[in-house]
């Protein structure tokens, strides 16, 4: 099991737009192999390909975020990274900040604001209805997107747990949040839309 530091470094190569990273997306880090149906693999690859192709453009035609959750057995935590278009995130944070304009950069001090926003819109709840607190690790800019990193301590059964991913869903009617969950030997892709902000995980 790789350490959190190695995990996040590996994730940073996912959206560079080269052939190697696209190969990883379809069968490497995200593990899109036999446990996925061909249909889900197609959805995942298409959405991530769109993100990579729009990485160098000033505006993007779709509103999409991608989240990777990988369970670290040794540390009993989910290692989580969220990739969100920066301009969309700035708009959401501006609303969160009483409409005072927010600009994101590598050296800004918006960490507490991002954490506050994320706690409202992202979370994992146990089958016993206990919402698990997560640790905000930081963020990193990449072209026109922002990576956000968190860790969720989790020792309870994942079967029947509830996942919330409502980032940006209140801003854009066409927003799609895709979450890839890797738990032990199982892998699952979950989609969140305007009227589907929470999903129960079943294996």
């Amino acid at each position: 099991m790789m350490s959190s530091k190695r995990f996040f470094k590996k994730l940073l190569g996912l959206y560079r737009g080269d052939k190697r990273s696209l190969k990883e997306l379809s069968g490497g880090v995200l593990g899109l192999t036999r446990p996925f149906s061909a249909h889900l693999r197609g959805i995942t690859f298409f959405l991530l390909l769109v993100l990579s192709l729009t990485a160098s453009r000033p505006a993007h035609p779709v509103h999409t975020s991608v989240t990777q959750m990988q369970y670290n057995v040794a540390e009993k935590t989910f290692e989580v990274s969220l990739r969100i278009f920066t301009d969309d995130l700035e708009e959401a944070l501006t609303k969160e900040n009483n409409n005072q304009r927010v600009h994101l950069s590598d050296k800004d001090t918006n960490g507490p604001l991002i954490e506050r926003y994320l706690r409202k819109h992202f979370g994992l709840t146990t089958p016993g209805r206990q919402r698990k607190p997560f640790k905000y690790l930081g963020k990193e800019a990449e072209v026109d997107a922002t990576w956000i990193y968190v860790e969720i301590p989790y020792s309870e059964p994942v079967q029947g747990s509830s996942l919330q991913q409502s980032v940006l869903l209140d801003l854009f009617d066409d927003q799609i949040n895709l979450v890839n969950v890797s738990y032990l030997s199982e892998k699952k892709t979950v989609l969140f839309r305007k009227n589907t902000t929470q999903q129960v995980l079943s294996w």
Side-chain angles (χ1 to χ4, degrees):
M1 181 64 63
M2 71 178 68
S3 66
S4 298
K5 185 175 182 180
R6 287 181 59 203
F7 169 76
F8 290 132
K9 282 186 175 180
K10 194 168 186 179
L11 282 172
L12 290 176
L14 289 179
Y15 294 93
R16 301 300 184 187
D18 58 14
K19 293 180 180 179
R20 181 178 180 182
S21 63
L22 290 177
K23 181 179 180 181
E24 286 185 329
L25 285 173
S26 61
V29 175
L30 299 186
L32 304 181
T33 54
R34 294 187 182 278
F36 282 102
S37 68
H39 178 65
L40 285 179
R41 288 202 306 271
I43 291 174
T44 303
F45 184 77
F46 171 76
L47 289 174
L48 300 181
L49 180 60
V50 168
L51 289 175
S52 67
L53 291 177
T54 58
S56 61
R57 299 177 185 177
H60 51 270
V62 295
H63 294 104
T64 309
S65 77
V66 179
T67 300
Q68 171 73 7
M69 296 177 60
Q70 181 166 320
Y71 191 68
N72 185 319
V73 177
E75 298 181 10
K76 294 184 178 181
T77 61
F78 273 104
E79 299 166 332
V80 183
S81 69
L82 303 91
R83 184 186 189 275
I84 306 172
F85 282 114
T86 299
D87 58 344
D88 293 344
L89 182 58
E90 287 176 339
E91 185 172 342
L93 294 176
T94 296
K95 182 178 178 181
E96 178 72 17
N97 196 38
N98 297 317
N99 292 320
Q100 296 183 35
R101 188 63 187 169
V102 173
H103 294 283
L104 297 176
S105 67
D106 279 337
K107 297 181 180 180
D108 66 46
T109 58
N110 293 309
L113 181 61
I114 293 173
E115 181 178 357
R116 187 176 76 194
Y117 176 77
L118 201 60
R119 291 193 185 281
K120 291 182 179 180
H121 295 280
F122 180 82
L124 186 61
T125 302
T126 70
R129 298 186 179 180
Q130 177 190 5
R131 189 175 177 94
K132 303 296 290 186
F134 62 74
K135 180 181 180 181
Y136 174 78
L137 301 179
K139 66 174 179 62
E140 189 167 1
E142 182 194 76
V143 191
D144 64 348
T146 296
W147 287 90
I148 302 172
Y149 307 122
V150 303
E151 286 184 343
I152 308 174
Y154 201 90
S155 57
E156 293 80 1
V158 173
Q159 173 70 24
S161 60
S162 178
L163 180 63
Q164 177 195 11
Q165 176 34 319
S166 59
V167 169
L168 304 178
L169 291 179
D170 59 335
L171 292 180
F172 308 111
D173 289 337
D174 61 343
Q175 177 72 29
I176 296 176
N177 295 329
L178 183 150
V179 181
N180 292 297
V181 184
S182 298
Y183 178 72
L184 303 180
S185 60
E186 303 292 333
K187 300 176 178 66
K188 178 178 291 291
T189 296
V190 188
L191 295 177
F192 297 82
R193 297 185 178 90
K194 184 74 173 180
N195 297 316
T196 309
T197 61
Q198 298 196 43
Q199 297 270 25
V200 175
L201 298 180
S202 59
W203 302 97

